[in-house]
Structures are given as C-alpha cells and as structure tokens.
Amino acid sequence: MLKIPYRVIMPNIDETVSNLLPHDEIPELLAREKVLAVIKSLPVGQEIPWVLGADTIISFEDKLYGKPENQDQAFEFLKGFQGKSHRIITSIVLYNGRKRTTSSRVCKTDITFAPMSDDEIQWYVDTGEWHGAAGGYRIQSLSSMFISKIEGSYSGAVGLPIFELYDILKEQGYKILE
C-alpha cells in the first residue's frame, strides 16, 4: 500500500514466552527477536538498510490467545469472544542498518464480536480461515461480518499498523512521500 519495496524473510524463532511477562510487552519482545534472527541469517558483510519485524497477540480475560491448534479450539475461542471485547496488541520493530539502532511502536485495538449462534461460529470455523490466525479469525476476511465494534487501528488488528509504520519510518529518515 505504501509502495515500499520489501522482501519477506521468515525468521525461525521460538515464540514461547513466559506467562509472567505483561501481555503488553510480549509482541515487542517477539518482534525484536524476529528482527535479530533475520539479521543473523544474512551473509556476513551484507549491508542491511532496514529490517522490520512485527508480532501480534490477543489478550482476553487475562489470557493470551494464539493460533488455534484445531477446529474445536477455534470454535472455543470464538465462542468465548462472541458478545464481548478483546484486545489485539501489535508491535513493530524497525532496525536501521545505517545507524545500527532499533525503534519500536505498539498498537492496541479493542475488537467486539456481536453475539453469535453456535451455527454461525461453526460456519465460520468450517471456512478454514482460522488456520494460522491468532484468536482463530482474520478480521480482514469473513469474520468481519460478526465484528460489531473496532476501537483503535484496523491495520493494527490485521497485523501491520500502518500509522505506526509510517511514524517510525519518518522518525528514521525513510522518505515515503518522494
């Protein structure tokens, strides 16, 4: 969307974190680990102008919701969310290779699902969109028909908060507007 050239490198990190960490800190920690893993994976001596890492978690009733392991768990997640609000926390970390520094931003978005029948939940789970999605849904797809309220950043809920990305790039001297 911002017409920034990029290359996707999937970092190989362990995303297991301590339950003792405050939920607000977990996405930034994981985004930093992803950036570091990418930097370490590149050939020695290769110039690294920018590396962006992002991570998203869902916090609901003092519990973290990751990617469901199966259909039953996806159903359970959505059954719990329906009629209530939960928080999506997305962090981005940008490594500036010229300055050898990192900057970060955190974006918090509250999502409210409308009350849903078991049939509606099962229909959505049967679409398969829950695969690989934190909380068992993708806000940018069919689940949007069940979301009654978004407070915060839609792009942050998707997983890459555009305002925060623009803000961090501007701070680091990246020219988007040219």
Side-chain angles (χ1 to χ4, degrees):
M1 181 169 58
L2 297 177
K3 304 212 182 327
I4 298 171
Y6 66 93
R7 187 173 110 208
V8 175
I9 301 173
M10 298 298 291
N12 185 15
I13 68 163
D14 178 5
E15 294 192 34
T16 307
V17 293
S18 168
N19 288 336
L20 301 176
L21 280 174
H23 293 179
D24 290 3
E25 294 177 16
I26 293 170
E28 184 174 347
L29 172 71
L30 292 174
R32 283 187 187 282
E33 287 185 17
K34 290 175 182 180
V35 167
L36 185 58
V38 167
I39 292 168
K40 287 182 176 181
S41 74
L42 297 174
V44 175
Q46 179 176 345
E47 183 180 320
I48 306 167
W50 308 97
V51 177
L52 179 69
D55 196 76
T56 300
I57 63 161
I58 291 179
S59 178
F60 177 61
E61 297 180 345
D62 295 322
K63 185 178 170 191
L64 289 180
Y65 285 74
K67 298 169 186 164
E69 296 176 12
N70 53 48
Q71 277 193 314
D72 291 340
Q73 192 173 46
F75 185 95
E76 178 186 319
F77 285 4
L78 292 169
K79 179 88 171 166
F81 294 157
Q82 61 95 26
K84 300 176 184 166
S85 296
H86 61 273
R87 176 159 283 176
I88 298 176
I89 306 167
T90 299
S91 289
I92 58 172
V93 173
L94 180 72
Y95 173 76
N96 182 330
R98 292 178 193 93
K99 296 180 181 178
R100 297 182 184 252
T101 60
T102 59
S103 293
S104 64
R105 298 288 187 280
V106 176
C107 176
K108 298 175 185 176
T109 305
D110 293 326
I111 303 295
T112 304
F113 270 86
M116 299 164 65
S117 69
D118 285 356
D119 287 342
E120 289 172 316
I121 296 169
Q122 190 61 55
W123 173 85
Y124 180 73
V125 170
D126 288 344
T127 69
E129 282 188 2
W130 63 270
H131 285 282
Y137 72 94
R138 297 183 192 285
I139 194 170
Q140 69 272 30
S141 295
L142 292 170
S143 69
S144 63
M145 64 194 270
F146 303 115
I147 294 171
S148 62
K149 188 175 185 181
I150 299 172
E151 291 183 79
S153 169
Y154 172 78
S155 62
V158 171
L160 185 62
I162 300 301
F163 170 79
E164 287 78 1
L165 175 61
Y166 177 65
D167 190 52
I168 204 170
L169 288 169
K170 203 168 54 168
E171 170 196 90
Q172 292 299 311
Y174 188 93
K175 306 286 188 217
I176 291 179
L177 303 179
E178 294 179 350

